[in-house]
Amino acid sequence: MPRFSIIVPCFEVQGFVRECLDSVLEQSFGDFEVIAVDDCSPDGCGAILDEYAARDDRVRVLHLPENVGLGRARNAGLPHATGDYLFFLDSDDTLTPGALDALADRLARTSDPDVLVFDYARTYWWGGTRRNVLAHVLAECADGTFSAAEHPEILDLLMVVWNKVYRRDFVEREGFTFPPGYYEDTPWTFPVMLSAARIATLDRICLYYRQRRQGNILSTTSRKHFDIHDQYERVFAFVADRPRLAGWRPHLHRKMGEHCLDILAKPDRLPPSDRAEFFRRTAELFRAHRPEGAEVPAELRVLEGGYVAYQARRQVGRAARELARRARRARGAAGARLGRVRSTLNARRPPDPDLAVYAAFSHRGVLGDPAAIYHKARELAPHVRGVWVVRDEETAALLPPDTEYVVLGSARHRRVTERATYFVGNVIWPGTAAKRPGSVHVHTHQGTPLKYMGADLLGKPGARLGLDVPRMLRSADRWDYSLVANRHSELVWERAYPCHFTSLRTGSPRNDVLVNAGPGHGRAVRARLGVPEGDTVVLYAPTPRDYRRGGYVDRVDLARFAAGLGAEHTLVVRLHPSLAAGPARGLGVAELHRRGVLIDATDEPHVEDLMLASDVLLTDYSALMFDYANLDRPIVVHADDWGAFTASRGAYFDITAQAPGHVTRSCRELAELFASGAWRDEEAARRRAAFRARFCEFDDGRAAERVVRTVLLGEPLPAPGAAPGSLVPAPAAGSDVLTSS
């Protein structure tokens, strides 16, 4: 008996069904059967299904003699299912890698619940991916099993059949089947969820929900949308036959009203001639099933009136929104005029010599090199007022106490930047205002470059997708100083940004803490993360890929790798900040963190803390390795897609040939390297020493001090490695310490 019976109805999906079936058959978990139902599809679906069945005995095909629709096609597959759990997979959707493994593991951990609800992400025809916005509900309900009565918020999720697996004997005992119709998921999902005594959740994206350019069947204009009324009648009838479910009537009454009004609100769902009738039918259903004494929510009271009143209310709402839009536009125009006047006045005043503006990593807070310079400036140049530019008030709420800030694009932001003398950051500053005479721009970059940057991206069209390289160069035209940690960086920045700036061989300010921190720093971070005392900490920090939209490529089976590390090891995962808010964490990292398999440290604001808390860095092509080398701790480079990475992005040198430690090219090699302990052998130390000598050349723990003394205080540039207080005259352009581009 297989663990899963995956029922796949097919109708006019010949362009998608291969991808769907491949996503199932290529799963690492193989204990399943596929029951593919050809719903008398007029295209090539039937032949494709037969082809798959001929080469894989886990696939069986049913050819229906006539088209019966999605719900009844699923019913046709039910009698042939022999698995413990039923999975209804739409034939244009796909499973994510490792999905069945994760589902099987969760089912085992929750002792075979009646229903397991998992997460999904929408994948758009233009290449974008967006995670389910209510994914937090799955995480909040993740402790054991529950009923819908114990966690009613589970019913706020998209009420479809394909984001769940169902215990087959539960379905058979309750006699659940799909009715005919357009909205067949509604009378299946509500009865199933209300009847299930034990529901579990999996906070992991297991399915990609394809969003076609022409929309799905429910986005067509048709009278078939009237089917929603019949389907809710079935739901109400189901509840009426089971007195124990009577308490759910108010909830279902509200859901029905919201669902029907949502259909009516979409202009492309119903022919104009049918909209009044749809409203009337909805209002009749709403009145017929209103529970006695139930209060009607304000947004549904429109159903107590007529269609004319409904239209009038919508027209009033549209008019109010238009007035508000015009008012915002008028305020914006007035503000722009006032801003231009203020800018003109400010342009006549010299820059404030005691005002510095800071920004880091897309304005995400007090971070990285700019943060190190800011803190050192408060110590050595307290007369210089430092103001941070952040992207929004939500970011501002996370700033350290007593940090002065302005929000990007605000009036205060414009005023501060018009008056400031110093600009310190690793961002592309907004190009709305010209660089003022007397202002000083210090660009800190975001680490030592391995992959192509700046003008070098002009030859890599895939890598520069969404990047405005000319705008980047116009921003670089403002730079007065470019900070470098090594001669390699100096040469790259001068090539990648062909502009008139001076390279300062200061070292990387953000690495000062790595050079200067004592052992207590790392121990404190470990304790905060919950790392057991004495564990060896493996920090995994992958970089995004340019050959995949969204950037995330799952190169390592984290669950298997963590298990292979064995006892007294902790795996800490730090995804790139650009991946933090996307679907990447939902593909397993969040769930593995919840289970204690690993620690998801993606939200840790200061990556330096994580480096100090770790014993070894595992990365692919992240610039983090150049910073980490300052710690003289082992580094492992996992380069299983080096060819694809360099072809799409480009690299300044071959990291596999000049690596800071051992290089692996498969998950098997990676597992064997850690199992053998070779990751910290003499060969690893030899490679690391050569790497440190080349790329940590100017990092001696005083980089931020050099920047502050040189730029803000006007002192001669302290030489790298010189004792505190040892200053050398600022050399002429082209010398070994300070060079011009």
Side-chain angles (χ1 to χ4, degrees), residues 392-626:
D392 50 37
E393 289 291 350
E394 184 177 346
T395 304
L398 303 176
L399 296 177
D402 78 350
T403 302
E404 187 176 355
Y405 72 91
V406 292
V407 174
L408 183 67
S410 66
R412 288 191 64 229
H413 169 237
R414 289 192 296 272
R415 288 196 295 271
V416 166
T417 54
E418 286 167 358
R419 295 286 295 128
T421 291
Y422 304 105
F423 292 77
V424 181
N426 57 23
V427 303
I428 299 176
W429 294 98
T432 53
K435 182 177 186 293
R436 298 187 63 197
S439 65
V440 178
H441 284 239
V442 179
H443 195 74
T444 66
H445 302 284
Q446 297 184 19
T448 294
L450 170 62
K451 56 190 179 184
Y452 277 7
M453 305 292 288
D456 291 330
L457 291 173
L458 292 172
K460 295 291 182 180
R464 72 169 190 267
L465 180 66
L467 293 177
D468 187 342
V469 174
R471 178 179 171 234
M472 294 169 64
L473 297 182
R474 288 194 298 272
S475 179
D477 283 333
R478 301 180 175 195
W479 301 351
D480 294 285
Y481 298 110
S482 166
L483 306 189
V484 298
N486 46 67
R487 296 168 208 261
H488 161 79
S489 296
E490 182 177 297
L491 294 175
V492 167
W493 298 139
E494 293 180 2
R495 163 182 161 161
Y497 297 98
C499 308
H500 297 285
F501 57 80
T502 297
S503 295
L504 288 183
R505 294 180 176 179
T506 56
S508 291
R510 66 180 180 179
N511 290 339
D512 289 351
V513 66
L514 302 181
V515 177
N516 298 325
H521 191 131
R523 286 197 296 268
V525 177
R526 285 177 178 233
R528 176 163 54 79
L529 294 174
V531 176
E533 186 73 27
D535 267 20
T536 296
V537 175
V538 180
L539 174 61
Y540 176 49
T543 197
R545 303 301 200 270
D546 293 286
Y547 61 76
R548 177 70 59 84
R549 184 183 284 273
Y552 182 66
V553 178
D554 191 5
R555 308 304 309 180
V556 176
D557 185 334
L558 295 177
R560 188 168 298 177
F561 178 63
L565 289 174
E568 299 182 349
H569 287 75
T570 295
L571 177 61
V572 176
V573 176
R574 164 77 172 199
L575 297 181
H576 191 273
S578 66
L579 304 174
R585 294 161 84 177
L587 289 167
V589 175
E591 171 65 9
L592 294 174
H593 173 82
R594 190 193 62 78
R595 285 170 41 195
V597 174
L598 52 78
I599 294 174
D600 176 10
T602 302
D603 289 333
E604 285 291 318
H606 302 292
V607 69
E608 299 85 4
D609 286 348
L610 300 179
M611 289 191 277
L612 287 165
S614 65
D615 298 291
V616 53
L617 172 67
L618 168 61
T619 187
D620 35 39
Y621 322 117
S622 171
L624 209 63
M625 71 177 85
F626 299 97

Side-chain angles (χ1 to χ4, degrees), residues 369 372-373 376 379-380 484-485 505-517 627 630-631 692 696-707 709 718-724:
D369 294 307
I373 297 169
K376 186 58 68 172
E379 173 189 336
L380 300 179
V484 298
R505 294 180 176 179
T506 56
S508 291
R510 66 180 180 179
N511 290 339
D512 289 351
V513 66
L514 302 181
V515 177
N516 298 325
D627 301 335
N630 282 284
L631 295 174
R692 291 183 68 223
C696 301
E697 185 179 6
F698 305 142
D699 282 338
D700 63 355
R702 297 181 57 216
E705 178 186 349
R706 286 192 194 91
V707 176
R709 291 191 179 281

Side-chain angles (χ1 to χ4, degrees), residues 91-115:
S91 48
D92 56 352
D93 296 337
T94 55
L95 299 186
T96 61
L100 293 185
D101 242 332
L103 289 168
D105 179 80
R106 184 63 176 153
L107 290 171
R109 290 176 179 275
T110 52
S111 303
D112 286 8
D114 298 325
V115 180

Side-chain angles (χ1 to χ4, degrees), residues 93-346:
D93 296 337
T94 55
L95 299 186
T96 61
L100 293 185
D101 242 332
L103 289 168
D105 179 80
R106 184 63 176 153
L107 290 171
R109 290 176 179 275
T110 52
S111 303
D112 286 8
D114 298 325
V115 180
L116 173 61
V117 187
F118 55 83
D119 201 13
Y120 65 91
R122 286 178 165 86
T123 57
Y124 294 87
W125 61 271
W126 41 266
T129 301
R130 183 168 65 90
R131 190 178 186 184
N132 165 29
V133 296
L134 293 178
H136 62 90
V137 173
L138 299 174
E140 291 162 1
C141 298
D143 294 333
T145 60
F146 57 91
S147 67
E150 293 168 314
H151 282 289
E153 63 271 23
I154 197 69
L155 300 181
D156 292 331
L157 297 173
L158 188 62
M159 296 302 282
V160 290
V161 66
W162 42 256
N163 64 349
K164 309 168 184 70
V165 294
Y166 314 85
R167 205 176 73 244
R168 183 167 59 88
D169 60 6
F170 162 68
V171 171
E172 291 176 347
R173 183 182 72 243
E174 297 291 337
F176 294 127
T177 58
F178 292 91
Y182 217 44
Y183 288 89
E184 77 292 329
D185 281 8
T186 298
W188 168 281
T189 308
F190 278 115
V192 165
M193 295 298 285
L194 298 182
S195 301
R198 299 178 64 245
I199 301 169
T201 62
L202 175 61
D203 179 22
R204 184 193 192 279
I205 297 172
C206 294
L207 181 140
Y208 286 136
Y209 176 29
R210 186 187 300 275
Q211 307 293 292
R212 299 197 212 177
R213 183 171 183 268
Q214 67 272 40
N216 61 22
I217 191 172
L218 295 181
S219 62
T220 56
T221 303
S222 169
R223 278 190 62 86
K224 290 182 178 180
H225 292 284
F226 280 83
D227 175 67
I228 190 65
H229 303 120
D230 293 337
Q231 303 297 8
Y232 270 103
E233 287 283 18
R234 291 187 171 97
V235 174
F236 286 122
F238 179 87
V239 171
D241 288 342
R242 293 161 178 78
R244 64 184 178 84
L245 299 180
W248 285 104
R249 289 184 60 205
H251 180 91
L252 295 172
H253 182 253
R254 177 174 57 84
K255 285 287 187 182
M256 180 272 296
E258 292 172 348
H259 197 165
C260 293
L261 285 179
D262 182 63
I263 294 171
L264 191 61
K266 292 182 169 63
D268 59 346
R269 294 297 189 268
L270 294 160
S273 59
D274 292 333
R275 296 176 63 81
E277 181 185 354
F278 187 90
F279 179 89
R280 178 179 56 78
R281 291 272 302 274
T282 299
E284 290 173 353
L285 188 65
F286 192 74
R287 287 193 296 271
H289 293 284
R290 178 177 176 179
E292 185 176 351
E295 183 177 352
V296 177
E299 64 273 15
L300 298 181
R301 289 173 190 162
V302 66
L303 289 171
E304 296 179 324
Y307 182 63
V308 173
Y310 166 77
Q311 285 183 305
R313 180 172 176 177
R314 285 181 58 81
Q315 288 172 353
V316 169
R318 284 194 294 267
R321 288 191 294 272
E322 176 61 20
L323 287 173
R325 185 182 65 82
R326 291 180 180 179
R328 287 195 301 270
R329 182 183 297 175
R331 288 195 300 271
R337 287 193 296 271
L338 180 61
R340 286 192 294 270
V341 171
R342 184 180 292 115
S343 296
T344 301
L345 294 175
N346 283 336

